[in-house]
Amino acid sequence: MIRSLLPNFQKKCPIKAAFLLVCIVFSSSLLSKQTIDWIKDGEAALSNRNYPLAYDSFREAVNLNPLSVRSRMGLSEAALKLHKEKEALQSLDKVLELEPKNKKAVREKASTLAKLGRYEEAFNILKPFLEEDKYDADLFPIYIEVQLASGKTQKASYEFHSAFSRIPKNKEIRMLEAKVAAFDGNFSKAAALRNQLESESSDDPGIFLESGKFLLLWAEKSQGSKRDSKIAEAAEKFERSVSLHPNEEESLKLLAKTRIYFGRYSEAEEYLNRLLVLFPTSTEYLYLRSYSRLRRDPASREARADLEKLISLDDIDPIARNRAELYSIENLPEGNSLRRILGEYRLQRFRSNRNSFLYDLAWYHLIRAKELLPNRPEILVLTLEEYKRRGMFPNYFNLLLQLRDKFPDNKKYGYSVENNLEGFKTTLSYREGLVKIGEFGIQEDYGRTPPELLVFDPEDEEFLAKHSDTPALVGKIIRHFLSIDPRIRNTDLDSNRKTDTFDIEPYSGAIYKTEKNYSSIKNPRGENIRFVASGKISFKGDTLRMEWSLRDHKEEKILGKFRIYAKGRDALAEAALRTRDKLISLIPSSGKVHRVKADSVIVNAGIVDGLSKGTTVYFFNSANLIGEGTVTESDLYTAKVTPKNTDSLLRNIAVGNKAYWKKAEPAPTTN
């Protein structure tokens, strides 16, 4: 527009026009010079690995000239080093908009997408270029890297070896050759290639970083002392990388993880401190440091500060939140600010899920809120309402008594106690003398014998994962919710975690199912546990995936296998509840004869166990079927069974005989 007006302006005011033209040219030249200066500053900062300075310099360059490809490429590189993947991708998209054939931008974008787990997008951006030249020297190596990262190792190996004679044998290809050999399981060949690369590039920290990662892959495929030795060798490579460049991020991170694996938590903390100076808002490094501090001191105040910062930086991470909650419950008084914040969050999630008719999930959050803030009146009242809604009368009545004593001026609790007491006295359990109303509430003697279940910690599918103690944490939460479920008798694994009788995974502190670990756990009668669950876990991004197997060790058979997927801020809550319910559903329903009467049998199981009016119950003496009967009355924990052949059954049955029944199919639910 200025150029179109300039001819007329020149005719009218030639001197002013000339001056304006000089100003425009000078200004353009000045901006161009400033842009180049910022680019040079950014590139110098990149070479010195000063990524914050590089990022700021390239941002200035882009602001001055948004169409500068060089500025945007530098900005994307610096942004990636600072974990600003979204901004890096935006910058690369702009480069490809300006220069669609820019292979360097294509490489960077494909690598970044693969790092984020977006493998199909990475393949799609490479596809048009590889269709033109399948063995493109710039892009084919990235294609193989994406294949390996996505788990398509066999395809990657086949395509790499098919192309090997057609591609140049530069350093990148030779490093890739070693990597492919390692994924193929040919560790001897990979080691030889890596040793050669190290001897040729003894001053390159990246070479030693990749050697360390190769040794970790070897360790992942190994067991016992061999795994330990390979992790130790990997640590030496990372140390060499850090000695060549003190701020080599990935080397510092992996070195910290190897220190955690070997129980050298103080050293791990030192490396993580260095990383957090460089990346103060990194949730991964904060979590690892909090874990290291907690392993040294379970009541560490420094760990508390890390957990508080974690929650403020990422309030939807379910692993970090549950770690903070367990720490708070075990170490902090109820009035502590962290514990209060965590409890109020659970209360808010309870309301949100209840309003969405997700009642089981809401109940999970309310239980957690009550554990964090056990004396908060609002939470106690909500818990009372849930007990009543769920038909959990003993819990309801005992809490009602607690509220009556806690708030003596509130007469409604006293009236409720009197009203419910009369109804309670009509229940089967009360009439049979299995429960009594004492000074401190309901005194129970149901004689319940629900099936015993042992749940081992699930094995982490990711080696040296971001959340180091995910398997132990998830296992503990599942067992906790099993322990408060009357349908099952949970075997306490966590109180035995510090004993020397178990093989404990060094990095996570988890107790996996092994022959030794199973044999070390006995029930109160000194017997091995019959029903045992074990599994695997993966937590990436915001998605939690678990695979479980339930084994009946008495019958020597697998009762069932299942998978659980959950996503988002409630992923762990949802996965824990679904795992609990699925495990319980797979275990055969059983109880015992509690009393034998003149015309009926009292069984120590009730509505909560699936025994309702009309259910057929089968009675056994050891392996022999004695007879059967039909439930004619039941309450929450007790059932009355009328025999079909009264004289025969009552003549042969005895207290303690086993009772079995078929579980009803669960009703469809919209929750």
Short mmCIF file of all heavy atoms in Angstrom, two decimals, residues 25 45 76 126 139 198 257 307 321 333 359 361 363 477 496 651:
data_model
loop_
_atom_site.label_atom_id
_atom_site.label_comp_id
_atom_site.label_asym_id
_atom_site.label_seq_id
_atom_site.Cartn_x
_atom_site.Cartn_y
_atom_site.Cartn_z
N VAL A 25 13.67 1.97 4.28
CA VAL A 25 14.80 1.08 3.98
C VAL A 25 15.67 0.88 5.23
O VAL A 25 16.08 -0.25 5.54
CB VAL A 25 15.65 1.66 2.83
CG1 VAL A 25 16.94 0.86 2.65
CG2 VAL A 25 14.85 1.66 1.54
N ALA A 45 23.59 -19.88 22.25
CA ALA A 45 23.05 -20.43 23.50
C ALA A 45 22.74 -21.92 23.34
O ALA A 45 22.98 -22.71 24.26
CB ALA A 45 21.80 -19.66 23.91
N SER A 76 11.84 -24.03 17.93
CA SER A 76 11.31 -25.38 18.17
C SER A 76 12.32 -26.25 18.91
O SER A 76 11.96 -27.00 19.83
CB SER A 76 10.91 -26.04 16.85
OG SER A 76 12.05 -26.31 16.05
N LEU A 126 5.69 -38.57 7.73
CA LEU A 126 6.83 -39.13 7.00
C LEU A 126 6.41 -39.80 5.69
O LEU A 126 7.20 -39.87 4.74
CB LEU A 126 7.54 -40.17 7.88
CG LEU A 126 8.27 -39.64 9.12
CD1 LEU A 126 8.66 -40.79 10.03
CD2 LEU A 126 9.50 -38.84 8.72
N LEU A 139 15.24 -39.01 6.41
CA LEU A 139 13.98 -39.37 7.04
C LEU A 139 13.82 -40.86 7.34
O LEU A 139 13.07 -41.23 8.25
CB LEU A 139 12.81 -38.91 6.16
CG LEU A 139 12.75 -37.39 5.89
CD1 LEU A 139 11.57 -37.05 5.03
CD2 LEU A 139 12.70 -36.62 7.21
N GLU A 198 31.94 -45.44 20.78
CA GLU A 198 32.52 -44.73 21.92
C GLU A 198 33.99 -44.41 21.69
O GLU A 198 34.46 -43.32 22.03
CB GLU A 198 32.36 -45.56 23.20
CG GLU A 198 30.94 -45.62 23.73
CD GLU A 198 30.83 -46.51 24.95
OE1 GLU A 198 31.86 -46.70 25.65
OE2 GLU A 198 29.74 -47.04 25.22
N LYS A 257 17.64 -42.26 38.33
CA LYS A 257 16.80 -43.47 38.42
C LYS A 257 17.64 -44.70 38.77
O LYS A 257 17.18 -45.57 39.53
CB LYS A 257 16.06 -43.69 37.10
CG LYS A 257 14.94 -42.68 36.86
CD LYS A 257 14.17 -42.99 35.59
CE LYS A 257 12.97 -42.08 35.43
NZ LYS A 257 12.14 -42.41 34.26
N LEU A 307 5.43 -32.67 47.33
CA LEU A 307 4.08 -33.14 47.03
C LEU A 307 3.10 -31.98 46.91
O LEU A 307 2.21 -31.98 46.05
CB LEU A 307 3.63 -34.13 48.11
CG LEU A 307 4.38 -35.47 48.13
CD1 LEU A 307 4.05 -36.25 49.39
CD2 LEU A 307 4.07 -36.29 46.89
N ARG A 321 -1.49 -37.47 43.31
CA ARG A 321 -2.50 -37.11 44.32
C ARG A 321 -2.63 -38.22 45.37
O ARG A 321 -2.70 -37.95 46.58
CB ARG A 321 -3.85 -36.85 43.65
CG ARG A 321 -4.94 -36.45 44.63
CD ARG A 321 -6.14 -35.90 43.93
NE ARG A 321 -5.84 -34.63 43.29
CZ ARG A 321 -5.78 -33.46 43.90
NH1 ARG A 321 -6.00 -33.39 45.21
NH2 ARG A 321 -5.50 -32.36 43.24
N PRO A 333 -1.26 -34.13 60.86
CA PRO A 333 -2.49 -34.00 61.64
C PRO A 333 -3.63 -33.52 60.75
O PRO A 333 -3.40 -32.95 59.68
CB PRO A 333 -2.12 -32.94 62.69
CG PRO A 333 -1.02 -32.14 62.05
CD PRO A 333 -0.25 -33.11 61.20
N TYR A 359 -22.49 -43.23 41.35
CA TYR A 359 -22.56 -43.37 42.80
C TYR A 359 -21.37 -44.13 43.40
O TYR A 359 -20.90 -43.79 44.48
CB TYR A 359 -23.87 -44.05 43.19
CG TYR A 359 -25.08 -43.21 42.85
CD1 TYR A 359 -26.01 -43.63 41.90
CD2 TYR A 359 -25.29 -41.97 43.46
CE1 TYR A 359 -27.11 -42.85 41.59
CE2 TYR A 359 -26.38 -41.18 43.15
CZ TYR A 359 -27.29 -41.63 42.21
OH TYR A 359 -28.37 -40.84 41.89
N LEU A 361 -18.30 -44.30 42.21
CA LEU A 361 -17.14 -43.41 42.14
C LEU A 361 -17.26 -42.31 43.19
O LEU A 361 -16.27 -41.93 43.83
CB LEU A 361 -17.03 -42.82 40.74
CG LEU A 361 -15.65 -42.42 40.23
CD1 LEU A 361 -14.64 -43.55 40.39
CD2 LEU A 361 -15.72 -41.99 38.76
N TRP A 363 -18.79 -42.60 46.03
CA TRP A 363 -18.55 -43.25 47.32
C TRP A 363 -17.05 -43.39 47.58
O TRP A 363 -16.57 -43.19 48.70
CB TRP A 363 -19.25 -44.60 47.32
CG TRP A 363 -19.18 -45.42 48.57
CD1 TRP A 363 -18.93 -46.75 48.63
CD2 TRP A 363 -19.40 -45.00 49.92
NE1 TRP A 363 -18.96 -47.20 49.93
CE2 TRP A 363 -19.25 -46.14 50.75
CE3 TRP A 363 -19.69 -43.78 50.51
CZ2 TRP A 363 -19.39 -46.09 52.13
CZ3 TRP A 363 -19.82 -43.73 51.89
CH2 TRP A 363 -19.67 -44.87 52.68
N ILE A 477 -3.73 -49.34 47.27
CA ILE A 477 -5.06 -48.75 47.20
C ILE A 477 -6.13 -49.81 46.94
O ILE A 477 -7.19 -49.82 47.57
CB ILE A 477 -5.09 -47.64 46.13
CG1 ILE A 477 -4.27 -46.43 46.61
CG2 ILE A 477 -6.52 -47.22 45.81
CD1 ILE A 477 -4.00 -45.41 45.56
N ASN A 496 3.69 -56.28 55.90
CA ASN A 496 4.86 -57.16 55.82
C ASN A 496 5.93 -56.65 54.85
O ASN A 496 6.93 -57.33 54.62
CB ASN A 496 4.43 -58.56 55.37
CG ASN A 496 3.48 -59.21 56.36
OD1 ASN A 496 3.70 -59.14 57.55
ND2 ASN A 496 2.41 -59.81 55.85
N ARG A 651 -30.41 -83.81 59.93
CA ARG A 651 -29.80 -84.94 60.62
C ARG A 651 -28.30 -85.01 60.34
O ARG A 651 -27.52 -85.47 61.17
CB ARG A 651 -30.49 -86.23 60.18
CG ARG A 651 -30.19 -87.43 61.08
CD ARG A 651 -31.12 -88.61 60.82
NE ARG A 651 -31.25 -88.94 59.43
CZ ARG A 651 -32.37 -88.82 58.70
NH1 ARG A 651 -33.47 -88.36 59.29
NH2 ARG A 651 -32.41 -89.16 57.44
#
